[in-house]
């Protein structure tokens, strides 16, 4: 974020209101609940935006159980409170959240791209966008500036590339892993933060009832398909050494020739632009 | 007509035929035995088998039939002007009057179908076959492609119908316009299924947007799908959710095998105009990213330095010239030549580069762990016996400074050339696509 | 006589002002947090602690020890007698003679102090400390002459009898004033002599009284996690006796001379750190500090006060993160100051309140929380290394003689070689042992040294709960860090889970245990066939646990004559791998491991015997060519006389 005199305003002369939505993450190796990587980045981005405005107008919002210990790891980033819309596990969070957000009308809503637990379809920002009628910016890496109600955003593309976008407030953005890493969660503030619990009406997510959920099976690696016309071909394909078992070694050639070989490979791979 | 038809024309070589017939000719053995032995073009152009040359004499003097059927060693002769290798023409899959449509919206990275796109097309046909088996109705797979298209092989990838939207409003990042178009497709074709590749290249984004718009609850990261149930990854890839197959699917990579045994019509879909929406998201174009600002883990091309580098200025210059992200071995970092966040390896960053160019790195086990996911590894090293050379696809043994110097001058030369080849390629591709489409139309008619 | 009253008044004034200063100084310490101390017992024990424990450390430098005994002893005796003779006017020739003797003693000592200060080594602070020998000479010399008349050597009234006498009196008065202000005022108002006052009380009220009388107290003190502020933010947040300890510093720089981070050019100097704590406690800037700076940092920039956050202005966090917690400074400190405690206390604030653990620190702590190991490996892959080892699991056997605490080496391929070697030795010696398998968690060592006591406590409590389910007599581990935690730090958390768990069991390092096995003849060893061998003492085995002998005895039992490094035993130099230093990775000019390898190379050794996986990793990280690095278990395995297959079954 570039500090800018108008950055903290939403274009109508009011202070920027930011909501970062958080969920309960899950560690890939241990399966233990934790701060979700992308949601943590959403909070980090929200905190950076809020810090550049005069008033600290960031709400960190969770729909679920306020007793979840993992929520504290978000609070440990230095939040005084986390607002929790108290829901049962089976409830559909989208409706509750969109009602809440409709009522509070923030300027920017930040979410992760995909949750680390539950269905993790990544639909949340889009559903909210559809129900609020706001534009959705997916996979953002940073919000560069907000001027006169228009935000300039960097969207993360694969391989570290970035695309610049502008969008008028209010909008919803999902925060990519390319966004700045969330700050460390400290035990002291985490322990002291206030869980601002809010009871709310919710409907159960009945569509899930028919689902069966098991821990992920390892997907078989796709075999190299050999369309062999004869038995001999099939035999050859099954017994042949995999390609690339040994690389090419250039030992005694002159340096120019060696360099040319490297250059050719780089060109062939298309990494020289 | 396509080029293929010209290659079908027989070019006879009367001299060779004559020699083949004349057993007393000095060159007879070379032509008939070393040549196309078993099958010979007769004077009328018919294929004739020569029983004398079938098989070979085994070790105990008994004649044996060769069951390799000509697959042993390609023998070039007979047709002197024949093109190198003749691809067999695959059967054309024709559906004149489809009862239903399955729509695939591919990523088309760089205007071409990606491997992921082809998998999704394969999945689309799998679903179409399943419906056929159930209801005896035949349907088509329709591709909606946005923006500039350079793909030549829509037919071999399984595209029955193609809706190509490449007018100006579809250039760049324009999800809102794309959704407007897809919503029209929904109205007109009522697709049986909507299939998207679940990818970072835009498929997920578009699929999710459309799902939200249509009010469909999609499956994401689906990897095993039939008309009844889908298995998809959930909870960050840690669980498999089995659920009824919805109408909109976002499919994981390798969800199905791509089409490879048929050709498809690639009939262009006639299309009245789609309303142009005024987008709220404005694409300001891709940002020039300093290669060194790309996180090491994401970088596509890494130039990595180790203990064997003496001339660090040269190293940085060449990294800049190559447009490569800089990496380093632990020793180079410990010695203070590179910052810690550049360290590649088990205790540094695990990289995923497509090309990893290691200079003066012998390859400690921790380092090799860190580059495990790299596609192509190139190394410049003085020690031909080190682990990095064993791993590398191309190893250059020599003084790194000299080789890098040569490489630098090559790159500078390359940079000076104006390269326009890309434009010419895209034009020819476009022609080819048009031709393919025309042919498909003819066949359908 | 006109001036008869002069010197008594001078002495009385100096004593009074010193008393006022003392009250002020005590109040500075009292600003610290409460800590219960047995005052009476401490004061009673104080002279003994001074004469034995402190002096044993000073005695390592014979010159200084004799000089200090003469100067300090002479001063204390003289002062007592000066009060009697010159202030209270007690007229006794014997006393006067005694005073003369003690003043002479002090003078002789002061001459040696003076000599030392002619060309002082760089570790010594200059500034006011350069003045001290002169003040000592002035004090002892002036009072010597002043006492001469009373001893009858000079006639009474000699000093006022003539013009020369008048002049002499005037000169004497100047010297006395100079001596008194240095010795008495300086003692309580912040001069070099402060060390005598604060040091004496520090010895009496030391936070770790167990250290006196040959004991060892190295485990960090737990943090109460419900405190207002976790760790030390402001000087006030230290315990009062820690503040007192900082004031005891004599700036001898022994700590600076042994600090591996200082030698590596990282921004840490333990002496300066303690002096900065004094600046923080009293308020002001470090401009008056006259010793070596933190490498790469200028003096005079730091400002602090008792209510100001230490890491904002007084100390750069990088200084705190440079420490490897090797305890070399603590071991060398003649005043027995606890540098490591202070550093970890401040790190606790940075980690648990500010969330600013540098570099990979945050990631490691997150991993420890989420996976119970520092690298984020799947918890159930902890036993993968032992897939072919057929190790009995405690969850199956429930009861065993020895628990083999595998530690996080289980995830590291190099360390696994050590683990396998040790298992082979255990099997060869027919030891009844078992492992906890996936039930074992990281010991929490790294979390604790990085200041995350919350995570450490959570790991410790869960480990204790696991241990309490089983019956066993000993825990043996190849990892000195886990060994230290289990042996010295876990007992603080056993309350309520397994109260007397640690009273009934023994925690041993594998070298100790292997030595027992070898001495008992349970392991048969061939003589070692190889080149010169040296031994590197891991800090957490040596200085933290006092185990210097067992690994050496093991090596000797192989017939190895150890080529000792100059810095070995309690003076061993750290490998740079402790205290989370490789994780926080503060840049310096050199790497600590490289310096240690230079130490090794001066012995000409071809093999470094080590007893710690972390030291192994650090030393093997030095660029080749260098001597080989092997854990003692790996060396033993090579010489093991394999028991016949029959005996094994």
């Amino acid at each position: 974020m570039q500090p800018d005199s108008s950055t903290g305003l939403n274009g109508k002369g009011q202070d920027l209101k930011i909501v970062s939505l958080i969920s309960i993450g899950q560690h890939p190796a241990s399966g233990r609940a934790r701060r979700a990587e992308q949601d943590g980045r959403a909070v980090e981005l929200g905190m950076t935006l809020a810090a550049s405005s005069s008033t600290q107008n960031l709400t960190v919002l969770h729909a679920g159980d306020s007793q979840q210990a993992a929520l504290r790891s978000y609070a440990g980033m230095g939040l005084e409170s986390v607002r929790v819309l108290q829901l049962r596990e089976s409830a559909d969070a989208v409706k509750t959240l969109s009602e809440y957000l409709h009522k509070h009308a923030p300027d920017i809503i930040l979410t992760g791209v995909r949750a680390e637990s539950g269905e993790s379809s990544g639909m949340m920002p889009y559903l909210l966008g559809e129900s609020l009628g706001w534009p959705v910016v997916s996979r953002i890496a940073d919000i560069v500036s907000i001027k006169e109600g228009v935000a300039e955003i960097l969207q993360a593309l694969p391989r570290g590339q970035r695309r610049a976008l502008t969008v008028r407030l209010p909008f919803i953005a999902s925060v990519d892993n390319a966004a700045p890493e969330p700050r460390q969660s400290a035990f002291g503030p985490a322990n002291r933060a206030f869980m601002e619990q809010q009871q709310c009406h919710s409907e159960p997510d009945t569509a899930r009832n028919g689902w069966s959920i098991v821990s992920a099976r390892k997907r078989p690696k796709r075999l190299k398909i050999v369309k062999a016309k004869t038995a001999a071909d099939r035999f050859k394909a099954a017994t042949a050494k995999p390609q690339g078992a040994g690389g090419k070694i250039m030992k005694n050639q002159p340096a120019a020739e060696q360099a040319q070989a490297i250059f050719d490979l780089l060109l062939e791979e298309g990494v020289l632009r | 007509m396509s080029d293929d038809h010209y290659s079908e024309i027989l070019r006879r070589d009367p001299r060779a035929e004559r020699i083949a017939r004349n057993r007393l000719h000095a060159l007879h053995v070379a032509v008939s035995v070393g040549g196309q032995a078993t099958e010979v073009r007769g004077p009328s152009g018919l294929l004739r088998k020569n029983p004398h040359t079938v098989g070979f004499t085994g070790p105990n003097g008994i004649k044996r039939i060769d069951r390799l059927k000509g697959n042993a060693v390609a023998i070039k002769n007979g047709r002197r002007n024949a093109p190198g290798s003749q691809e067999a023409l695959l059967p054309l899959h024709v559906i004149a009057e489809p009862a239903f449509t399955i729509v695939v919206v591919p990523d088309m990275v760089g205007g071409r179908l990606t491997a992921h796109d082809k998998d999704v097309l394969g999945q689309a046909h799998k679903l179409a076959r399943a419906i056929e088996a159930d209801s005896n109705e035949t349907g088509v797979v329709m591709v909606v492609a946005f923006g500039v298209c350079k793909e030549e092989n829509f037919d071999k990838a399984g595209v029955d119908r193609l809706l190509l939207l490449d007018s100006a409003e579809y250039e760049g990042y324009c999800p809102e316009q794309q959704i407007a178009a897809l919503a029209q497709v929904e109205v007109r074709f009522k697709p049986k299924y909507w299939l998207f590749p679940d990818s970072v290249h835009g498929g997920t984004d578009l699929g999710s947007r459309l799902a939200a718009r249509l009010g469909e609850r999609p499956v994401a990261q689906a990897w095993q799908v039939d008309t009844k149930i889908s298995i998809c990854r959930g909870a960050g890839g840690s669980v498999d959710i089995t659920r009824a197959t919805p109408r909109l699917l976002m499919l994981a990579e390798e969800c199905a095998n791509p089409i490879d045994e048929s050709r498809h019509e690639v009939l262009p879909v006639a299309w009245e105009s789609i309303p142009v929406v005024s987008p709220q998201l404005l694409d300001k174009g891709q940002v020039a990213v300093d290669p060194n600002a790309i996180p090491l883990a994401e970088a596509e091309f890494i130039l990595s330095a180790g203990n064997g580098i003496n001339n660090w200025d040269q190293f940085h210059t060449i990294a800049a010239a190559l447009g490569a992200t800089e990496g380093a071995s632990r020793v180079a970092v410990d010695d203070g030549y590179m910052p810690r966040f550049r360290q590649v390896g088990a205790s540094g960053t695990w990289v995923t580069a497509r090309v990893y160019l290691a200079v003066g790195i012998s390859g400690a086990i921790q380092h090799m762990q860190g580059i495990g996911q790299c596609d192509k590894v190139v190394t410049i090293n003085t020690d031909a016996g080190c682990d990095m050379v064993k791993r590398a696809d191309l190893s250059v043994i020599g003084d790194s400074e000299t080789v890098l110097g040569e490489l630098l001058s090559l790159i500078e030369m390359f940079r000076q050339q104006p390269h326009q080849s890309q434009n010419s390629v895209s034009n020819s591709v476009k022609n080819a696509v048009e031709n393919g489409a025309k042919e498909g139309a003819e066949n359908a008619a | 006589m006109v001036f008869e009253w002069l010197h008594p008044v001078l002495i009385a004034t100096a004593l009074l002002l010193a008393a006022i200063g003392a009250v002020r100084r005590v109040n500075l310490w009292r600003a610290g947090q409460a800590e219960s101390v047995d005052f009476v017992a401490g004061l009673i024990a104080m002279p003994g602690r001074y004469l034995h424990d402190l002096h044993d450390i000073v005695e390592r430098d014979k010159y200084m020890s004799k000089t200090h005994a003469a100067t300090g002893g002479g001063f204390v005796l003289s002062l007592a007698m000066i009060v009697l003779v010159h202030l209270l006017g007690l007229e006794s020739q014997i006393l006067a003679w005694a005073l003369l003797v003690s003043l002479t003693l002090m003078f002789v000592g002061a001459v040696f102090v003076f000599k030392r200060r002619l060309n002082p080594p760089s570790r010594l602070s200059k500034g006011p400390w350069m003045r001290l020998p002169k003040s000592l000479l002035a004090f002892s010399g002036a009072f010597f002459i002043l006492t001469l008349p009373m001893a009858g050597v000079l006639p009474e009234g000699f000093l006022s009898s003539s013009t020369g006498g008048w002049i002499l009196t005037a000169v004497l008065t100047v010297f006395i004033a100079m001596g008194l202000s240095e010795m008495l005022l300086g003692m309580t108002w912040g001069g070099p002599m402060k060390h005598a006052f604060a040091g004496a009380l520090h010895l009496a009220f030391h936070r770790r009284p167990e250290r006196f009388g040959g004991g060892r107290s190295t485990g960090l003190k737990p943090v109460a996690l419900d405190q207002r502020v976790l760790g030390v933010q402001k000087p006030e947040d230290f315990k009062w006796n820690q503040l007192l300890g900082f004031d005891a510093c004599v700036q001898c720089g022994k700590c600076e001379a042994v600090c591996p981070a200082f030698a590596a050019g990282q921004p840490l100097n333990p002496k300066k750190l303690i002096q900065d704590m004094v600046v923080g406690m009293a308020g002001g800037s470090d401009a008056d500090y006259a010793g070596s700076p933190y490498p790469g940092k200028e003096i005079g920039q730091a400002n602090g006060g008792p209510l100001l956050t230490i890491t904002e202005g007084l100390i750069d966090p990088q200084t705190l993160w440079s420490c490897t917690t090797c305890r070399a400074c603590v071991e060398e400190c003649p005043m027995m100051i606890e540098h490591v405690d202070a550093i970890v206390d401040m790190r606790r604030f940075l980690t648990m309140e500010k969330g600013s653990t540098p570099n990979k620190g945050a990631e490691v702590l997150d991993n420890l929380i989420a996976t119970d190991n520092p690298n984020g490996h799947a918890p159930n892959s902890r036993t993968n290394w032992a897939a072919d080892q057929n190790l009995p699991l405690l969850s199956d056997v429930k009861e065993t003689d020895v628990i083999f605490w595998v530690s996080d080496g289980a995830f590291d391929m190099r360390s696994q070689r050590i683990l396998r070697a040790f298992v082979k030795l255990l099997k060869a010696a027919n030891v009844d042992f078992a492992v906890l398998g996936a039930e074992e968690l990281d010991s929490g060592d790294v979390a604790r040294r990085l200041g995350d006591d919350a995570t450490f406590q959570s790991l410790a409590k869960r480990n204790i709960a696991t241990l309490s389910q089983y019956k066993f007599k000993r825990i043996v581990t190849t990892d000195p860090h886990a060994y230290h935690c289990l042996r010295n730090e876990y007992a603080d958390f056993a309350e309520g889970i397994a109260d007397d768990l640690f009273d009934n069991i023994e925690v041993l390092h594998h070298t100790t245990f292997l030595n027992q096995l070898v001495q008992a003849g349970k392991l048969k060893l061939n003589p070692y066939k190889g080149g010169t061998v040296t031994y590197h003492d891991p800090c957490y085995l040596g200085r933290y646990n006092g185990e210097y002998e067992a690994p050496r005895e093991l090596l000797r039992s192989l017939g190895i004559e150890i080529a000792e490094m100059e810095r070995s035993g309690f003076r061993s130099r750290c490998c740079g791998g402790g205290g989370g230093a490789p994780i926080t990775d503060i840049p310096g000019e050199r790497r600590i491991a490289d310096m240690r390898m230079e130490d090794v190379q001066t012995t000409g050794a071809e093999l470094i015997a080590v007893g710690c996986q972390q030291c192994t990793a650090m030393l093997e990280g030095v660029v080749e060519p260098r001597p080989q690095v092997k854990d003692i278990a790996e060396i033993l395995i090579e010489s093991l006389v394999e028991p016949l297959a029959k005996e094994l079954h």
Side-chain angles (χ1 to χ4, degrees), chain C residues 202-368:
Chain C
H202 169 59
L203 289 183
F205 309 136
H206 200 281
R207 201 169 171 221
R208 296 178 181 274
E210 307 85 354
R211 283 186 67 193
F212 301 106
R216 199 169 282 278
S217 165
T218 53
L220 293 171
K221 307 275 181 193
V223 176
L225 295 175
D226 49 1
Q227 267 173 342
R228 175 185 52 87
V229 172
L230 302 174
V232 168
Q233 175 182 19
K234 308 177 292 261
E236 263 197 13
D237 296 334
F238 283 113
K239 304 288 180 207
W240 69 270
N241 48 1
Q242 283 181 286
L243 293 177
L244 167 59
F246 302 145
D247 248 354
C249 175
V250 287
Q251 302 195 39
C252 66
K254 290 262 170 72
C255 50
E256 172 187 318
V258 293
C259 177
F262 180 80
Q266 288 172 298
L268 171 64
N269 175 351
K271 180 175 84 172
K272 171 82 162 71
L273 181 96
I274 296 301
Q275 285 312 304
D276 281 348
M277 295 294 101
V278 175
V279 166
M281 168 170 67
S285 99
D286 68 338
D288 294 335
Y289 171 74
S292 324
Y294 298 126
K297 295 216 185 299
E298 265 177 61
I299 288 174
Q301 313 293 319
N303 291 292
L307 294 172
L308 298 176
T309 303
I310 293 172
T311 46
E312 291 165 8
L314 187 59
I315 287 181
D316 185 342
Q318 293 228 321
T319 297
L320 302 176
W321 296 115
S322 297
C323 177
T324 65
T325 68
C326 73
R327 263 184 100 79
C329 49
V330 183
E331 191 76 29
E332 281 299 329
C333 180
M335 299 307 290
M336 309 185 94
I337 297 170
E338 296 283 341
H339 310 66
V340 175
D341 281 358
I343 288 174
V344 174
D345 279 341
M346 291 184 275
R347 283 184 179 187
R348 285 170 173 172
F349 171 73
L350 290 175
T351 294
M352 288 196 287
E353 290 292 344
K354 297 247 293 185
S356 60
T357 322
N359 291 326
K360 292 226 162 190
E363 189 187 322
V364 165
L365 294 175
D366 277 349
N367 284 336
L368 280 170

Side-chain angles (χ1 to χ4, degrees), chain C residues 18 33 65 141 143 157 168 179-180 205 303 310 342 346 355 397 433 452 465 478 487 491 511 534 540 582 595 603 632:
Chain C
Q33 302 300 303
S65 122
F143 273 108
L168 185 61
L180 281 174
F205 309 136
N303 291 292
I310 293 172
M346 291 184 275
V397 297
F433 77 101
D452 191 350
T478 52
R487 183 171 179 234
T511 54
T534 189
Y540 276 74
M595 298 191 301
T603 66
I632 289 186

Side-chain angles (χ1 to χ4, degrees), chain A residues 27 29-35 76 183-189 191-192, chain C residues 227-228 230 351-353 355-357 365 369-372 376 378-379 454:
Chain A
H27 194 277
S30 69
R32 222 172 277 173
R34 62 159 182 178
R35 172 177 72 177
R183 63 196 69 184
Q184 187 178 352
S185 176
F187 178 82
N191 215 19
R192 287 188 285 266
Chain C
Q227 267 173 342
R228 175 185 52 87
L230 302 174
T351 294
M352 288 196 287
E353 290 292 344
S356 60
T357 322
L365 294 175
I369 293 167
T371 63
D372 303 324

Side-chain angles (χ1 to χ4, degrees), chain A residues 46-57:
Chain A
M47 289 177 84
T48 325
L49 281 175
S52 64
S53 78
S54 50
T55 52
Q56 301 265 314
N57 221 334

